[in-house]
Short mmCIF file of all heavy atoms in Angstrom, two decimals:
data_model
loop_
_atom_site.label_atom_id
_atom_site.label_comp_id
_atom_site.label_asym_id
_atom_site.label_seq_id
_atom_site.Cartn_x
_atom_site.Cartn_y
_atom_site.Cartn_z
N GLU A 418 -16.57 14.78 14.38
CA GLU A 418 -15.50 15.55 13.72
C GLU A 418 -15.72 17.05 13.91
O GLU A 418 -14.79 17.79 14.27
CB GLU A 418 -15.51 15.19 12.24
CG GLU A 418 -14.48 15.88 11.39
CD GLU A 418 -14.51 15.30 9.99
OE1 GLU A 418 -15.55 15.45 9.30
OE2 GLU A 418 -13.51 14.72 9.57
N GLN A 419 -16.97 17.47 13.72
CA GLN A 419 -17.27 18.91 13.90
C GLN A 419 -17.01 19.35 15.33
O GLN A 419 -16.43 20.40 15.60
CB GLN A 419 -18.77 19.15 13.65
CG GLN A 419 -19.14 19.39 12.22
CD GLN A 419 -20.67 19.48 12.10
OE1 GLN A 419 -21.42 19.09 13.00
NE2 GLN A 419 -21.12 20.01 10.98
N LEU A 420 -17.45 18.52 16.26
CA LEU A 420 -17.37 18.91 17.67
C LEU A 420 -15.93 18.95 18.19
O LEU A 420 -15.59 19.78 19.03
CB LEU A 420 -18.19 17.95 18.54
CG LEU A 420 -19.71 18.06 18.39
CD1 LEU A 420 -20.41 16.87 19.01
CD2 LEU A 420 -20.21 19.36 19.04
N ILE A 421 -15.08 18.05 17.70
CA ILE A 421 -13.72 18.01 18.26
C ILE A 421 -12.75 18.90 17.47
O ILE A 421 -11.64 19.15 17.93
CB ILE A 421 -13.17 16.56 18.34
CG1 ILE A 421 -13.01 15.93 16.95
CG2 ILE A 421 -14.06 15.70 19.23
CD1 ILE A 421 -12.41 14.53 16.98
N GLY A 422 -13.16 19.33 16.29
CA GLY A 422 -12.35 20.29 15.56
C GLY A 422 -11.10 19.73 14.92
O GLY A 422 -10.09 20.43 14.82
N ALA A 423 -11.13 18.47 14.51
CA ALA A 423 -10.00 17.89 13.78
C ALA A 423 -10.55 16.86 12.79
O ALA A 423 -11.54 16.19 13.09
CB ALA A 423 -9.02 17.22 14.72
N PRO A 424 -9.93 16.75 11.60
CA PRO A 424 -10.47 15.85 10.59
C PRO A 424 -10.33 14.37 10.96
O PRO A 424 -9.26 13.95 11.40
CB PRO A 424 -9.64 16.17 9.34
CG PRO A 424 -8.39 16.80 9.84
CD PRO A 424 -8.74 17.48 11.13
N VAL A 425 -11.39 13.63 10.78
CA VAL A 425 -11.34 12.19 11.03
C VAL A 425 -10.90 11.51 9.72
O VAL A 425 -11.65 11.50 8.75
CB VAL A 425 -12.72 11.65 11.49
CG1 VAL A 425 -12.68 10.14 11.62
CG2 VAL A 425 -13.11 12.29 12.81
N ARG A 426 -9.69 11.01 9.71
CA ARG A 426 -9.14 10.41 8.49
C ARG A 426 -9.27 8.90 8.45
O ARG A 426 -9.12 8.29 7.40
CB ARG A 426 -7.64 10.74 8.38
CG ARG A 426 -7.37 12.20 8.25
CD ARG A 426 -7.69 12.66 6.87
NE ARG A 426 -7.00 13.89 6.58
CZ ARG A 426 -7.34 14.72 5.63
NH1 ARG A 426 -8.38 14.45 4.86
NH2 ARG A 426 -6.66 15.82 5.44
N MET A 427 -9.44 8.30 9.61
CA MET A 427 -9.54 6.84 9.66
C MET A 427 -10.66 6.43 10.60
O MET A 427 -10.88 7.09 11.61
CB MET A 427 -8.23 6.24 10.19
CG MET A 427 -7.10 6.26 9.19
SD MET A 427 -5.62 5.53 9.90
CE MET A 427 -4.94 6.94 10.71
N VAL A 428 -11.32 5.35 10.22
CA VAL A 428 -12.36 4.79 11.08
C VAL A 428 -12.10 3.29 11.17
O VAL A 428 -11.97 2.63 10.14
CB VAL A 428 -13.77 5.05 10.49
CG1 VAL A 428 -14.84 4.43 11.37
CG2 VAL A 428 -14.03 6.55 10.32
N SER A 429 -12.01 2.79 12.38
CA SER A 429 -11.73 1.37 12.55
C SER A 429 -13.02 0.66 12.97
O SER A 429 -13.71 1.11 13.88
CB SER A 429 -10.63 1.21 13.60
OG SER A 429 -10.52 -0.12 13.97
N VAL A 430 -13.32 -0.42 12.27
CA VAL A 430 -14.59 -1.13 12.54
C VAL A 430 -14.37 -2.58 12.96
O VAL A 430 -15.31 -3.38 13.00
CB VAL A 430 -15.53 -1.08 11.30
CG1 VAL A 430 -16.04 0.33 11.07
CG2 VAL A 430 -14.82 -1.61 10.05
N GLY A 431 -13.12 -2.92 13.28
CA GLY A 431 -12.85 -4.29 13.72
C GLY A 431 -11.37 -4.43 14.03
O GLY A 431 -10.57 -3.55 13.68
N PRO A 432 -10.99 -5.51 14.72
CA PRO A 432 -9.60 -5.63 15.17
C PRO A 432 -8.56 -5.92 14.07
O PRO A 432 -7.38 -5.66 14.27
CB PRO A 432 -9.65 -6.79 16.17
CG PRO A 432 -10.92 -7.51 15.93
CD PRO A 432 -11.85 -6.58 15.23
N GLU A 433 -8.97 -6.43 12.93
CA GLU A 433 -8.00 -6.80 11.90
C GLU A 433 -7.42 -5.57 11.20
O GLU A 433 -8.08 -4.54 11.10
CB GLU A 433 -8.67 -7.67 10.82
CG GLU A 433 -9.08 -9.05 11.30
CD GLU A 433 -7.89 -10.01 11.43
OE1 GLU A 433 -6.79 -9.69 10.92
OE2 GLU A 433 -8.07 -11.08 12.02
N ARG A 434 -6.19 -5.70 10.71
CA ARG A 434 -5.56 -4.60 9.97
C ARG A 434 -6.45 -4.09 8.85
O ARG A 434 -6.52 -2.90 8.57
CB ARG A 434 -4.25 -5.10 9.33
CG ARG A 434 -3.08 -5.15 10.28
CD ARG A 434 -1.87 -5.78 9.61
NE ARG A 434 -0.73 -5.78 10.52
CZ ARG A 434 0.39 -6.47 10.32
NH1 ARG A 434 0.53 -7.24 9.27
NH2 ARG A 434 1.38 -6.40 11.18
N THR A 435 -7.15 -5.03 8.20
CA THR A 435 -7.96 -4.65 7.03
C THR A 435 -9.23 -3.88 7.39
O THR A 435 -9.84 -3.26 6.52
CB THR A 435 -8.37 -5.92 6.26
OG1 THR A 435 -8.88 -6.85 7.23
CG2 THR A 435 -7.21 -6.53 5.51
N ALA A 436 -9.64 -3.94 8.65
CA ALA A 436 -10.89 -3.28 9.05
C ALA A 436 -10.65 -1.81 9.41
O ALA A 436 -11.14 -1.30 10.41
CB ALA A 436 -11.53 -4.03 10.21
N THR A 437 -9.85 -1.12 8.60
CA THR A 437 -9.52 0.28 8.85
C THR A 437 -9.89 1.08 7.60
O THR A 437 -9.33 0.85 6.53
CB THR A 437 -8.00 0.43 9.14
OG1 THR A 437 -7.63 -0.57 10.08
CG2 THR A 437 -7.67 1.80 9.69
N LEU A 438 -10.87 1.96 7.72
CA LEU A 438 -11.36 2.71 6.56
C LEU A 438 -10.65 4.05 6.51
O LEU A 438 -10.63 4.78 7.50
CB LEU A 438 -12.87 2.94 6.67
CG LEU A 438 -13.71 1.80 7.27
CD1 LEU A 438 -15.19 2.18 7.27
CD2 LEU A 438 -13.51 0.51 6.51
#
Side-chain angles (χ1 to χ4, degrees):
E418 180 174 64
Q419 274 175 344
L420 289 166
I421 64 177
V425 175
R426 297 285 200 199
M427 285 180 275
V428 178
S429 169
V430 291
E433 291 284 347
R434 279 174 178 167
T435 48
T437 313
L438 323 181

